[in-house]
Amino acid sequence: AQKVTQAQTEISVVEKEDVTLDCVYETRDTTYYLFWYKQPPSGELVFLIRRNSFDEQNEISGRYSWNFQKSTSSFNFTITASQVVDSAVYFCALIKNYGGSQGNLIFGKGTKLSVKP
Amino acid sequence: NAGVTQTPKFRILKIGQSMTLQCAQDMNHNYMYWYRQDPGMGLKLIYYSVGAGITDKGEVPNGYNVSRSTTEDFPLRLELAAPSQTSVYFCASSNDRSGGNTIYFGEGSWLTVV
Protein backbone atom coordinates (compact mmCIF):
# COMPACT_ATOMS: atom_id res chain seq x y z
CA ALA A 1 0.00 0.00 0.00
CA GLN A 2 1.09 3.54 -0.60
CA LYS A 3 1.30 6.03 2.20
CA VAL A 4 2.71 9.48 2.89
CA THR A 5 3.55 10.50 6.43
CA GLN A 6 4.15 14.05 7.56
CA ALA A 7 4.88 13.58 11.22
CA GLN A 8 5.01 17.29 12.04
CA THR A 9 1.47 18.54 12.48
CA GLU A 10 2.42 22.12 13.27
CA ILE A 11 5.65 24.07 13.30
CA SER A 12 6.13 27.60 14.54
CA VAL A 13 9.25 29.61 13.78
CA VAL A 14 10.37 33.20 13.93
CA GLU A 15 11.02 35.05 10.73
CA LYS A 16 14.44 34.44 9.18
CA GLU A 17 14.81 31.05 10.80
CA ASP A 18 15.39 28.03 8.60
CA VAL A 19 12.78 25.29 8.81
CA THR A 20 12.59 21.75 7.45
CA LEU A 21 9.35 19.94 6.78
CA ASP A 22 9.64 16.18 6.82
CA CYS A 23 7.98 13.76 4.43
CA VAL A 24 8.32 9.99 4.53
CA TYR A 25 6.62 7.82 1.96
CA GLU A 26 5.87 4.15 1.44
CA THR A 27 5.50 2.48 -1.92
CA ARG A 28 6.39 -0.81 -3.55
CA ASP A 29 6.68 0.79 -6.94
CA THR A 30 10.05 1.48 -8.45
CA THR A 31 8.74 4.34 -10.55
CA TYR A 32 6.80 7.11 -8.91
CA TYR A 33 6.57 10.87 -8.51
CA LEU A 34 6.66 12.98 -5.38
CA PHE A 35 5.12 16.41 -4.99
CA TRP A 36 5.00 19.28 -2.57
CA TYR A 37 2.03 21.64 -2.48
CA LYS A 38 1.48 24.81 -0.46
CA GLN A 39 -1.98 25.72 0.84
CA PRO A 40 -2.02 29.33 2.12
CA PRO A 41 -4.81 30.58 4.39
CA SER A 42 -6.85 31.51 1.30
CA GLY A 43 -7.21 27.79 0.64
CA GLU A 44 -5.95 27.18 -2.87
CA LEU A 45 -3.31 24.55 -3.60
CA VAL A 46 -0.08 25.87 -5.03
CA PHE A 47 2.24 23.45 -6.79
CA LEU A 48 5.83 23.72 -5.56
CA ILE A 49 7.79 20.80 -6.97
CA ARG A 50 7.59 17.43 -8.67
CA ARG A 51 10.39 14.86 -8.40
CA ASN A 52 10.56 11.47 -10.11
CA SER A 53 11.96 8.43 -8.38
CA PHE A 54 15.00 8.21 -10.65
CA ASP A 55 16.22 11.70 -9.91
CA GLU A 56 17.78 11.97 -6.47
CA GLN A 57 19.48 15.26 -7.06
CA ASN A 58 18.62 17.90 -4.54
CA GLU A 59 16.76 20.88 -5.91
CA ILE A 60 17.00 24.51 -4.93
CA SER A 61 14.59 27.23 -5.94
CA GLY A 62 15.30 30.53 -4.26
CA ARG A 63 14.76 30.04 -0.53
CA TYR A 64 13.26 26.61 -1.07
CA SER A 65 15.21 23.38 -1.29
CA TRP A 66 14.27 19.74 -1.39
CA ASN A 67 16.22 16.69 -0.29
CA PHE A 68 15.14 13.39 -1.83
CA GLN A 69 16.66 10.24 -0.36
CA LYS A 70 15.37 6.92 -1.66
CA SER A 71 17.40 5.02 0.93
CA THR A 72 15.26 6.48 3.71
CA SER A 73 12.12 7.05 1.58
CA SER A 74 12.14 10.70 2.46
CA PHE A 75 11.49 13.88 0.53
CA ASN A 76 12.13 16.74 2.92
CA PHE A 77 11.50 20.41 2.21
CA THR A 78 13.58 23.23 3.67
CA ILE A 79 12.74 26.90 3.71
CA THR A 80 15.75 29.11 4.32
CA ALA A 81 15.32 32.49 5.98
CA SER A 82 11.59 31.98 6.44
CA GLN A 83 9.17 34.84 5.91
CA VAL A 84 5.68 35.55 7.20
CA VAL A 85 4.33 34.86 3.70
CA ASP A 86 5.55 31.27 4.03
CA SER A 87 2.86 30.64 6.65
CA ALA A 88 0.68 27.92 5.16
CA VAL A 89 -0.11 24.24 5.27
CA TYR A 90 2.34 22.22 3.23
CA PHE A 91 1.40 18.88 1.73
CA CYS A 92 3.66 16.14 0.46
CA ALA A 93 2.09 13.75 -2.08
CA LEU A 94 2.96 10.61 -4.00
CA ILE A 95 1.72 9.25 -7.32
CA LYS A 96 2.49 6.06 -9.17
CA ASN A 97 3.92 6.36 -12.63
CA TYR A 98 2.42 3.67 -14.68
CA GLY A 99 -0.73 3.24 -16.73
CA GLY A 100 -3.00 2.39 -13.88
CA SER A 101 -2.31 5.33 -11.64
CA GLN A 102 -5.19 7.43 -12.90
CA GLY A 103 -3.76 10.49 -11.24
CA ASN A 104 -4.49 9.33 -7.73
CA LEU A 105 -2.28 11.53 -5.63
CA ILE A 106 -1.75 10.13 -2.16
CA PHE A 107 -1.48 13.07 0.22
CA GLY A 108 0.06 13.34 3.64
CA LYS A 109 -1.98 15.09 6.32
CA GLY A 110 0.00 18.26 5.93
CA THR A 111 2.23 20.38 8.15
CA LYS A 112 0.98 23.76 9.26
CA LEU A 113 3.83 26.25 9.28
CA SER A 114 3.45 29.50 11.17
CA VAL A 115 6.13 32.11 10.69
CA LYS A 116 5.98 34.88 13.26
CA PRO A 117 7.48 38.33 12.66
CA ASN B 1 -4.85 31.98 -17.93
CA ALA B 2 -8.06 30.72 -16.33
CA GLY B 3 -6.69 27.21 -15.67
CA VAL B 4 -9.16 25.21 -13.57
CA THR B 5 -12.27 27.10 -12.52
CA GLN B 6 -14.63 25.89 -9.81
CA THR B 7 -18.01 27.28 -8.82
CA PRO B 8 -19.45 28.01 -6.36
CA LYS B 9 -16.68 28.90 -3.94
CA PHE B 10 -18.92 28.66 -0.90
CA ARG B 11 -22.22 26.90 -0.35
CA ILE B 12 -24.41 25.90 2.57
CA LEU B 13 -26.76 22.99 2.00
CA LYS B 14 -29.47 21.51 4.12
CA ILE B 15 -29.46 17.78 4.80
CA GLY B 16 -31.13 15.96 1.93
CA GLN B 17 -30.67 18.71 -0.62
CA SER B 18 -28.79 18.15 -3.86
CA MET B 19 -26.36 20.33 -5.70
CA THR B 20 -23.74 20.33 -8.43
CA LEU B 21 -20.23 21.66 -8.13
CA GLN B 22 -19.03 22.93 -11.47
CA CYS B 23 -15.51 22.50 -12.79
CA ALA B 24 -14.10 23.72 -16.07
CA GLN B 25 -10.58 23.73 -17.47
CA ASP B 26 -9.30 25.55 -20.53
CA MET B 27 -6.03 23.68 -20.98
CA ASN B 28 -7.46 20.87 -23.15
CA HIS B 29 -6.47 18.33 -20.51
CA ASN B 30 -7.83 14.83 -20.91
CA TYR B 31 -7.60 13.91 -17.24
CA MET B 32 -9.77 15.52 -14.61
CA TYR B 33 -10.27 14.74 -10.93
CA TRP B 34 -12.38 15.62 -7.94
CA TYR B 35 -10.82 15.54 -4.48
CA ARG B 36 -12.21 16.34 -1.07
CA GLN B 37 -10.26 17.71 1.85
CA ASP B 38 -11.57 17.19 5.35
CA PRO B 39 -10.30 19.38 8.21
CA GLY B 40 -6.71 18.64 9.15
CA MET B 41 -6.35 16.06 6.41
CA GLY B 42 -4.84 15.70 2.99
CA LEU B 43 -6.93 15.33 -0.13
CA LYS B 44 -8.73 12.14 -1.12
CA LEU B 45 -9.85 11.26 -4.64
CA ILE B 46 -13.61 11.06 -5.20
CA TYR B 47 -13.90 10.49 -8.96
CA TYR B 48 -11.73 10.90 -12.00
CA SER B 49 -12.11 11.00 -15.75
CA VAL B 50 -9.62 10.06 -18.45
CA GLY B 51 -11.56 11.73 -21.23
CA ALA B 52 -14.97 12.82 -22.41
CA GLY B 53 -17.55 10.13 -21.73
CA ILE B 54 -15.29 8.14 -19.37
CA THR B 55 -15.42 8.37 -15.58
CA ASP B 56 -14.44 6.10 -12.73
CA LYS B 57 -14.54 5.94 -8.95
CA GLY B 58 -11.71 7.03 -6.75
CA GLU B 59 -11.12 6.32 -3.09
CA VAL B 60 -14.27 7.94 -1.61
CA PRO B 61 -17.07 7.97 -4.25
CA ASN B 62 -20.12 7.22 -2.09
CA GLY B 63 -22.75 9.96 -2.19
CA TYR B 64 -21.41 11.54 -5.37
CA ASN B 65 -21.87 11.30 -9.11
CA VAL B 66 -19.98 12.79 -12.02
CA SER B 67 -20.32 13.19 -15.75
CA ARG B 68 -17.93 14.21 -18.50
CA SER B 69 -19.80 15.23 -21.61
CA THR B 70 -17.03 17.53 -22.84
CA THR B 71 -13.27 17.72 -22.41
CA GLU B 72 -13.61 21.03 -20.59
CA ASP B 73 -16.26 20.29 -17.97
CA PHE B 74 -16.38 17.82 -15.10
CA PRO B 75 -19.29 18.53 -12.72
CA LEU B 76 -19.65 16.78 -9.37
CA ARG B 77 -23.17 16.02 -8.20
CA LEU B 78 -24.09 15.57 -4.54
CA GLU B 79 -27.35 13.72 -4.08
CA LEU B 80 -29.11 13.81 -0.70
CA ALA B 81 -26.44 15.85 1.06
CA ALA B 82 -25.28 14.59 4.45
CA PRO B 83 -23.23 16.31 7.19
CA SER B 84 -20.37 13.92 6.38
CA GLN B 85 -20.04 15.68 3.04
CA THR B 86 -19.07 18.94 4.69
CA SER B 87 -15.66 19.45 3.20
CA VAL B 88 -13.56 21.46 0.79
CA TYR B 89 -13.75 20.14 -2.75
CA PHE B 90 -10.97 20.53 -5.28
CA CYS B 91 -11.18 19.91 -8.97
CA ALA B 92 -7.95 19.20 -10.84
CA SER B 93 -6.76 18.42 -14.33
CA SER B 94 -3.65 17.16 -16.07
CA ASN B 95 -2.56 16.08 -19.51
CA ASP B 96 -0.72 13.02 -18.26
CA ARG B 97 -2.13 10.53 -15.79
CA SER B 98 1.30 9.25 -14.90
CA GLY B 99 2.17 12.27 -12.81
CA GLY B 100 4.88 13.22 -15.26
CA ASN B 101 3.23 16.56 -15.73
CA THR B 102 1.88 18.92 -13.19
CA ILE B 103 -1.61 18.38 -11.89
CA TYR B 104 -3.40 21.70 -11.78
CA PHE B 105 -5.90 22.40 -9.02
CA GLY B 106 -8.84 24.76 -8.87
CA GLU B 107 -9.22 27.16 -5.96
CA GLY B 108 -11.57 24.91 -4.01
CA SER B 109 -15.25 24.91 -3.10
CA TRP B 110 -16.22 25.10 0.58
CA LEU B 111 -19.37 23.11 1.24
CA THR B 112 -21.22 22.96 4.56
CA VAL B 113 -24.15 20.61 5.09
CA VAL B 114 -26.39 21.53 8.03
Side-chain angles (χ1 to χ4, degrees):
Chain A
Q2 295 182 305
K3 185 179 179 181
V4 175
T5 301
Q6 294 179 255
Q8 304 149 309
T9 305
E10 292 192 43
I11 300 176
S12 183
V13 299
V14 176
E15 208 169 19
K16 298 185 182 177
E17 286 185 18
D18 299 346
V19 58
T20 296
L21 310 181
D22 297 332
C23 173
V24 174
Y25 62 92
E26 296 176 26
T27 181
R28 295 181 180 176
D29 301 305
T30 56
T31 306
Y32 50 89
Y33 279 81
L34 294 162
F35 296 75
W36 275 95
Y37 285 90
K38 174 182 179 180
Q39 188 174 43
S42 51
E44 74 272 21
L45 281 170
V46 179
F47 167 80
L48 294 179
I49 190 172
R50 177 188 66 246
R51 170 69 70 213
N52 77 56
S53 53
F54 295 109
D55 183 1
E56 288 194 71
Q57 285 189 346
N58 291 336
E59 176 134 352
I60 298 174
S61 177
R63 298 184 295 107
Y64 295 170
S65 62
W66 291 268
N67 181 267
F68 176 33
Q69 292 193 340
K70 288 181 75 172
S71 61
T72 57
S73 297
S74 65
F75 187 41
N76 296 337
F77 172 33
T78 297
I79 302 175
T80 302
S82 60
Q83 299 176 2
V84 173
V85 293
D86 295 326
S87 297
V89 180
Y90 291 86
F91 290 98
C92 181
L94 166 71
I95 191 171
K96 293 185 284 188
N97 184 23
Y98 63 88
S101 74
Q102 313 299 355
N104 191 5
L105 282 166
I106 308 297
F107 281 83
K109 293 184 179 181
T111 297
K112 182 178 181 179
L113 174 64
S114 298
V115 181
K116 302 184 187 308
Chain B
N1 283 344
V4 179
T5 303
Q6 293 180 231
T7 56
K9 193 168 179 68
F10 300 97
R11 181 74 185 268
I12 298 175
L13 273 183
K14 293 184 179 180
I15 294 172
Q17 286 185 324
S18 300
M19 75 158 296
T20 299
L21 297 175
Q22 302 291 343
C23 176
Q25 52 91 9
D26 61 359
M27 297 172 282
N28 202 32
H29 286 169
N30 283 327
Y31 305 99
M32 295 188 73
Y33 318 92
W34 274 106
Y35 289 85
R36 61 176 285 174
Q37 182 184 20
D38 297 328
M41 303 292 287
L43 281 67
K44 293 187 176 181
L45 185 66
I46 305 171
Y47 269 95
Y48 65 91
S49 169
V50 301
I54 306 171
T55 63
D56 209 343
K57 296 177 181 178
E59 185 181 0
V60 290
N62 291 343
Y64 307 94
N65 276 301
V66 294
S67 60
R68 186 92 183 273
S69 57
T70 66
T71 299
E72 295 76 21
D73 300 301
F74 190 41
L76 177 71
R77 177 86 177 159
L78 281 72
E79 304 284 0
L80 298 175
S84 61
Q85 293 178 302
T86 294
S87 190
V88 183
Y89 292 84
F90 287 95
C91 181
S93 73
S94 71
N95 58 5
D96 182 346
R97 66 181 178 179
S98 69
N101 289 308
T102 305
I103 298 174
Y104 295 85
F105 285 86
E107 293 187 344
S109 296
W110 275 252
L111 177 66
T112 302
V113 182
V114 297

